[in-house]
Amino acid sequence: MNTPRSGRPALARPDGTPLRVLVVDDDPDLAEVLSGALRYEGWQVRTAGDGATAVAEARDLMPDAVVLDVMLPDTDGFAVLRSLHTVKSDVCVLFLTARDAVEDRIAGITAGGDDYVTKPFSLEEVVARLRGLLRRAGMARQLEEGPRLTVGDLVMDEDAREVTRAGELIDLSPTEFELLRFLMRNPRRVLSKAQILDRVWSYDFGGQAHVVELYISYLRKKVDAGREPMIHTVRGAGYVLKPVVR
């Protein structure tokens, strides 16, 4: 089983990319401690110290979950939540508060929050609550052990010999599959035509560069068609597969 540094089974977004979490608290020390615990899970984390910054960060990050303090210097967490829902309606929200009155809990849930943790709290509890929220909401899946390669929203099941991008099945020939597998096993690494020929076709380099160019063009038509490109040409060097940066 794949595990993050925390030792727990890893959770990721359905496309295999890291979960995105926004931590909103006006106590910078607490925000940093929380962020560190979440990064330990292998997640992408940002912080904000007030409501206005939280909404701006959410527009950029498009988080899967928000850890949100009720008391903020410029507004309250309930107002921030309403703004967050206009940015991303399905975001999971875990409220943090120093208050434990029943009416505060009711207000948080009524405002659209998914769960509520009262300060002081344990980091383990916050992480466990978030993992549960994200899984129940269908925003996360457990990364299972097995022959699966993932680069951004491109996923290859080596045993089933299936490839999907953003959940859409891509039909590949055996040679196209082997070429893509080599690229996916070396993400962000520029691979020369000679390396590709040797690995995919077992040819010594010499007059066969057009074969690589031809099959790269086939792959682009299937993997990148109608989408932001992942397969890039590095002039004079070769080809590289890179996830799309959003």
Side-chain angles (χ1 to χ4, degrees), residues 207-218:
Q208 302 294 333
H210 67 281
V211 174
V212 177
E213 295 166 4
L214 182 62
Y215 274 86
I216 286 289
S217 72
Y218 291 161

Side-chain angles (χ1 to χ4, degrees), residues 8 20 59 84 88 92 114 118 122 128 143 157 182 189 200 209 214 231-232:
R8 284 180 285 265
R20 303 170 185 171
R59 288 196 180 99
L84 290 175
K88 193 170 187 287
C92 294
D114 299 285
T118 304
S122 74
L143 295 177
D157 186 324
F182 187 42
R189 178 185 173 193
V200 179
L214 182 62
I231 303 170
H232 303 271

Side-chain angles (χ1 to χ4, degrees), residues 69-234:
D69 190 11
V70 169
M71 301 299 293
L72 295 169
D74 57 343
T75 184
D76 63 51
F78 308 136
V80 173
L81 176 56
R82 289 191 289 271
S83 296
L84 290 175
H85 277 164
T86 66
V87 175
K88 193 170 187 287
S89 61
D90 61 350
V91 65
C92 294
V93 175
L94 176 66
F95 275 118
L96 302 178
T97 182
R99 302 178 299 182
D100 61 359
V102 172
E103 55 266 29
D104 289 333
R105 295 175 182 267
I106 293 173
I109 300 302
T110 302
D114 299 285
D115 206 347
Y116 206 105
V117 175
T118 304
K119 298 177 182 178
F121 51 78
S122 74
L123 293 176
E124 286 288 328
E125 180 183 11
V126 172
V127 172
R129 295 281 189 96
L130 278 177
R131 287 171 66 92
L133 286 177
L134 288 162
R135 294 190 72 170
R136 288 194 295 274
M139 291 186 176
R141 66 176 177 85
Q142 188 165 300
L143 295 177
E144 299 176 354
E145 184 178 20
R148 184 183 293 266
L149 300 173
T150 302
V151 180
D153 61 357
L154 185 65
V155 180
M156 172 180 285
D157 186 324
E158 294 181 279
D159 273 356
R161 297 188 72 82
E162 289 184 348
V163 174
T164 60
R165 183 164 181 194
E168 183 179 337
L169 190 64
I170 299 173
D171 184 30
L172 299 177
S173 72
T175 302
E176 291 166 350
F177 185 90
E178 290 303 322
L179 175 55
L180 183 60
R181 173 153 58 181
F182 187 42
L183 293 172
M184 291 185 72
R185 285 180 172 175
N186 296 275
R188 297 185 177 87
R189 178 185 173 193
V190 178
L191 300 170
S192 69
K193 293 176 183 177
Q195 288 174 307
I196 294 172
L197 279 168
D198 181 65
R199 173 60 182 81
V200 179
W201 283 272
S202 300
Y203 291 166
D204 290 330
F205 188 69
Q208 302 294 333
H210 67 281
V211 174
V212 177
E213 295 166 4
L214 182 62
Y215 274 86
I216 286 289
S217 72
Y218 291 161
L219 270 188
R220 280 182 167 141
K221 290 175 183 176
K222 295 183 177 182
V223 172
D224 288 343
R227 307 178 178 96
E228 291 188 60
M230 294 180 68
I231 303 170
H232 303 271
T233 300
V234 180

Side-chain angles (χ1 to χ4, degrees), residues 42-59:
W43 301 348
Q44 181 181 348
V45 185
R46 292 193 193 176
T47 63
D50 56 63
T53 305
V55 175
E57 288 285 359
R59 288 196 180 99

